[in-house]
Amino acid sequence: GPNSGKAELFAWRHREASKNKYFPRNLREPGEPRSRQEPPGGFKSDECLKAGGWGKNVCVALGDDGCISEVKFSDTCTGADTSVACLLPAPVNAHSHVFQRAMAGLTERRGKNLVDSFWTWRELMYRFLDQLTPEHVEAIAAMVQMEMLEAGYATNVEFHYLHHSPDGTPYQNRAEMADRIIAAAEQTGVGLTLLPVHYEFGGCDGRSLTRGQIRFKNDLDDFAALCQSVRPTLKRLGPDACFGIAAHSLRAVSKDSFSHSRNLSSGGPFHMHLAEQTAEVDEVLHHLGCRPVEWVLENIEPNLDCCFIHCTQMLPHETKALAQTGAVAGLCPMTEANLGDGIFDGFNWLEAGGRIAIGSDSNIRISLSEELRSLEYSQRLRDRSRNVLATSALSTGRRIFESMTLGGSQAAGRKTGRIEAGYWADLLAIDTSAITHVGSNGDIIIDTFIFAGDDRLVREVWSAGRHVVTSGQHFAHEQITENYRSVLFAVKDWL
Ligand code: ZN
């Protein structure tokens, strides 16, 4: 057929790629400190959203270990060579599939199906990822992580399911692809929580995986072996890197496998896609006899280790019951809008004490301010109301921002989300000299960032004390962008 030439080309590329085994060139020996631009000993912040609320003239001291060593009020910061206008905790990006970034913009047209939906999007994704080599994935991951840092996130929680070569056979190094994500994190300085994903079959009926999906598949033993290989490599990134587990979804993992794979996390975070699309809910209901949230409540004892990605399809009783478990709802407002998933019940979730984190998921666009804006705007459009997620004490922006930094910390298994001694120095400085911020202080700074500004206001970012973004730009911006550009030329030539 017309595609066979392309298929041969892809196969050739993969053979070539597997010859150049250069990993782990980027990683040093265990115990050696991770390369980074030297953090300042400390700096002064005119306005600082520290634990407990806003403070003016706050000195934040950083230790050599990447943690905040002291936070105090003072007009003069001894040893401070930097001062910033407004300092916030830099949040976690709680859900990402890095490789999908390279498809951004390719799926915005109708297919032959009159009802164009999530499912046709998934078809294109499968065809696209057929061509991705480990080298491609490393370059894409570096780009995505860099974009996350420049948007103000300090941490990438990577829900990593692209494990094998296109015909489904494992690479010689079973953890080749995971190692590439780790190598990218070494390059970018992002805080990484890596979640190898268990994926067994192609639907709730246990049907086998199709051509596009066979790169994801592991049985339990193979998955355990993969995890065993990933953990020591991840450790070499440094003590802020974190290991966790994900089970893809109820569509891809059997009931028994859920508990087996969850045990492999040994206390680290456990994530799964939960209830994204109505078609998914119908499939689960048909095969398992209950809705996804009901199934989870009955079968896997959700707790503080759990993060459920896409809690879009929930009935009121499910929202309340799941919120009360202390598990995090992993929201992906821009992807959920892009895929037409539906609207998360943010008001009732937060009312019930529910925790939230934000992820960029498909990475169609990476923007912290726009994710938060989309979350609130979806609530407003549904309820024909304003300030849906605000409280009487906290503005909308402040409530969302603080909720997602704390929930993100929980979802990432990372001591972050607060500007307080002992926490990782995951910090974000906002430019308040921008015209949008004239005369603003306190909560209004965050509201203006989210609703009136954009990520260009993000000036400085530290991840575990690594000063990765300076004056709005990542320290390796040019090189990472060039690598990514050449990958796009290579992988888009089939279009
Ligand atoms: Zn996802």
Side-chain angles (χ1 to χ4, degrees):
N3 288 325
S4 62
K6 291 279 183 195
E8 276 162 32
L9 178 66
F10 300 152
W12 174 79
R13 268 196 203 135
H14 280 276
R15 281 195 304 275
E16 287 303 299
S18 60
K19 284 180 196 160
N20 317 319
K21 295 205 95 50
Y22 58 82
F23 190 82
R25 80 200 189 291
N26 279 331
L27 295 183
R28 291 161 316 292
E29 290 310 304
E32 222 179 310
R34 190 169 170 187
S35 66
R36 64 187 188 206
Q37 297 191 327
E38 283 310 303
F43 47 87
K44 190 180 155 196
S45 174
D46 300 342
E47 298 252 11
C48 178
L49 184 61
K50 54 184 195 43
W54 288 103
K56 283 187 190 300
N57 298 324
V58 174
C59 285
V60 178
L62 308 188
D64 291 337
D65 56 359
C67 292
I68 297 166
S69 58
E70 192 182 19
V71 180
K72 61 174 183 186
F73 291 104
S74 174
D75 283 334
T76 52
C77 283
T78 40
D81 47 7
T82 310
S83 104
V84 298
C86 173
L87 197 66
L88 306 173
V92 164
N93 189 321
H95 188 66
S96 153
H97 314 288
V98 286
F99 72 86
Q100 293 180 19
R101 179 67 177 144
M103 292 168 46
L106 300 184
T107 60
E108 305 302 324
R109 42 210 254 172
R110 275 187 189 275
K112 287 183 188 113
N113 268 341
L114 276 181
V115 188
D116 203 15
S117 71
F118 174 76
W119 308 102
T120 51
W121 172 87
R122 215 175 59 163
E123 283 309 303
L124 188 134
M125 178 187 85
Y126 291 157
R127 277 199 291 148
F128 188 81
L129 63 78
D130 243 13
Q131 339 159 38
L132 295 180
T133 67
E135 278 79 8
H136 294 152
V137 168
E138 183 176 339
I140 298 168
M143 184 71 191
V144 169
Q145 292 168 355
M146 179 183 80
E147 289 183 293
M148 286 178 183
L149 292 167
E150 289 183 346
Y153 298 106
T155 306
N156 164 206
V157 180
E158 183 61 18
F159 194 103
H160 169 64
Y161 60 86
L162 181 59
H163 300 302
H164 307 310
S165 66
D167 66 3
T169 49
Y171 290 104
Q172 196 182 345
N173 164 14
R174 179 175 291 282
E176 177 79 38
M177 285 294 199
D179 287 357
R180 298 302 182 137
I181 309 276
I182 297 170
E186 171 62 22
Q187 242 183 96
T188 59
V190 81
L192 181 65
T193 291
L194 186 59
L195 312 172
V197 176
H198 192 211
Y199 202 119
E200 293 177 314
F201 44 74
C204 287
D205 55 359
R207 75 189 89 121
S208 51
L209 295 168
T210 58
R211 165 106 184 110
Q213 302 167 311
I214 50 180
R215 303 188 74 173
F216 315 155
K217 182 184 165 74
N218 283 298
D219 65 23
L220 271 172
D221 287 344
D222 290 341
F223 185 63
L226 171 72
C227 292
Q228 206 175 3
S229 164
V230 168
R231 297 183 80 127
T233 318
L234 189 60
K235 265 209 180 89
R236 292 171 65 179
L237 270 185
D240 69 304
C242 183
F243 179 85
I245 291 285
H248 183 273
S249 61
L250 292 175
R251 286 175 280 122
V253 177
S254 73
K255 181 176 171 178
D256 288 343
S257 298
F258 264 95
S259 44
H260 282 294
S261 57
R262 189 172 174 186
N263 285 339
L264 294 170
S265 76
S266 41
F270 176 77
H271 289 217
M272 65 177 282
H273 292 125
L274 184 55
E276 180 172 12
Q277 296 258 326
T278 51
E280 177 184 28
V281 174
D282 293 345
E283 189 181 336
V284 170
L285 192 57
H286 180 74
H287 289 280
L288 302 176
C290 58
R291 299 165 51 85
V293 176
E294 294 170 339
W295 188 92
V296 153
L297 289 165
E298 277 295 307
N299 291 283
I300 65 165
E301 296 175 36
N303 64 12
L304 303 183
D305 297 334
C306 296
C307 179
F308 296 105
I309 308 302
H310 306 305
C311 297
T312 323
Q313 309 299 336
M314 294 198 296
L315 298 176
H317 73 279
E318 295 176 318
T319 303
K320 198 167 168 198
L322 192 62
Q324 287 170 350
T325 64
V328 179
L331 313 176
C332 310
M334 285 198 289
T335 297
E336 288 160 10
N338 184 268
L339 297 179
D341 289 344
I343 300 175
F344 170 67
D345 186 358
F347 179 81
N348 286 312
W349 179 264
L350 290 179
E351 282 296 293
R355 300 158 193 229
I356 58 168
I358 299 286
S360 54
D361 193 8
S362 69
N363 296 312
I364 175 76
R365 183 163 150 68
I366 297 168
S367 168
L368 172 59
S369 54
E370 192 173 329
E371 292 287 5
L372 305 184
R373 190 188 316 140
S374 302
L375 172 61
E376 168 68 17
Y377 279 177
S378 67
Q379 310 293 306
R380 294 187 188 188
L381 288 165
R382 179 196 57 210
D383 297 350
R384 285 174 277 174
S385 172
R386 300 194 71 247
N387 299 322
V388 179
L389 300 181
T391 65
S392 51
L394 305 177
S395 76
T396 305
R398 166 92 179 270
R399 175 99 184 285
I400 298 176
F401 190 84
E402 277 191 330
S403 303
M404 62 83 75
T405 50
L406 293 174
S409 160
Q410 190 177 321
R414 180 178 176 92
K415 197 172 181 192
T416 184
R418 290 166 75 91
I419 300 184
E420 186 177 339
Y423 280 71
W424 290 116
D426 292 344
L427 302 167
L428 151 62
I430 295 277
D431 178 13
T432 56
S433 70
I435 195 71
T436 42
H437 276 83
V438 171
S440 57
N441 61 14
D443 287 6
I444 294 174
I445 296 176
I446 301 182
D447 293 334
T448 306
F449 168 56
I450 295 173
F451 295 101
D454 57 42
D455 298 340
R456 283 173 296 180
L457 296 168
V458 172
R459 303 311 290 167
E460 311 289 321
V461 177
W462 291 262
S463 175
R466 299 178 291 273
H467 193 177
V468 285
V469 173
T470 309
S471 303
Q473 202 172 79
H474 187 268
F475 64 86
H477 184 99
E478 313 252 304
Q479 187 205 328
I480 288 172
T481 308
E482 267 321 298
N483 291 346
Y484 181 64
R485 189 191 310 278
S486 56
V487 166
L488 285 187
F489 275 123
V491 300
K492 284 186 174 178
D493 70 356
W494 61 287
L495 285 173

